[in-house]
Amino acid sequence: MKLSDNEIRDITKLLEAGKPLPDRYRFMLGGDDREIELVWNGKSADVTNMVLPFQTIEHVDEPRPEEDIARQPDLFDLATGRQLKGWTNKLIWGDNKFVLSSLKNGPLREEIEANGGIKLIYIDPPFDVGADFSMDIEIGDETFEKKPNVLEEIAYRDTWARGGDSFLSMIYERLLLAHALLANDGVIFLHCDWRLSSSIKQILDEIFGPDQFQNEIIWHYRRWTAPSNNFQKLHDTILFYSKSNSYLFNQLFTGYTEGSVARKEQGVLRRFKKGEAPVLVSDKGKSEKGVPENDVWQIPFVASVVAEPVEA
């Protein structure tokens, strides 16, 4: 990109004075191919590479139900129903930055990879509400404030020294670690709200790539709020990204509503065999063909179809 004489003069002065270049000059001179990047005070791509030892506090191995044993009989003792080999789920207590770093760089990484890697990560971080979640504990007639310890500081105290900049630095480093730890066919879901959802989406676009954005899931809820001169903020956002295009997506089906059952009994629902291409008819007269994986029932002449697998 061609620079003007004034821009060349300004850049030269900054370099001679040993001062950092503004972002617009840095991207112009560096030839960075990233089109959009969120920048904040203190942003750094350096991540923690510390490996801390894990200490086993309790090992729970309850007997499995017979149906679970029947599905994987080589993993369980048939007499006791207890696990003999294979991966065991782990509940790890600690600062998730150090936990992620230890999982990524420590000896447990080999065991994780041998079992197919981490397929799904769900993150529900603080929402930058500026609240202090210290707990008040009543003992007899006295009340004591339970302050978070060093490991609980981030989890239970949603306050930040530099406001949004500190929050973004915190979540950015953890997302870099999560991306490196996630299997190539894995996915990540990040729960946030209106305060920083737009900024977090830009960070996820930078780390995972905008093409790996799969969906924005809206979690709507109800509550009584005081009258105001604005629309009520009654939803959270769950951002869904994949690490590659080879992620696994299991379709879920809901049961029939009472109205659908009634229409089914009246013969209004049409049944399609596996491999056929049903036509989904909307109230606007448009159709869309699709090949179902299983037999499905279809409600004609409606825009939304509730279907479930049925036996052939």
Side-chain angles (χ1 to χ4, degrees), residues 118-137:
I118 294 178
K119 304 294 187 182
L120 186 147
I121 296 176
Y122 173 81
I123 302 178
D124 190 356
F127 285 2
D128 194 25
V129 298
D132 185 342
F133 296 106
S134 299
M135 297 177 290
D136 290 333
I137 302 174

Side-chain angles (χ1 to χ4, degrees), residues 223-233:
R223 68 184 176 197
W224 292 102
T225 58
S228 67
N229 296 324
N230 202 343
F231 296 106
Q232 296 181 358
K233 301 178 178 68

Side-chain angles (χ1 to χ4, degrees), residues 25 41 50 63 69-70 86 110 114-115 142 146 163 183 197 202 296 309:
Y25 289 148
N41 183 26
M50 182 181 299
I69 298 175
E110 184 176 348
N115 286 275
E142 298 185 55
K146 165 62 171 67
S197 60
Q202 286 186 282
V296 297

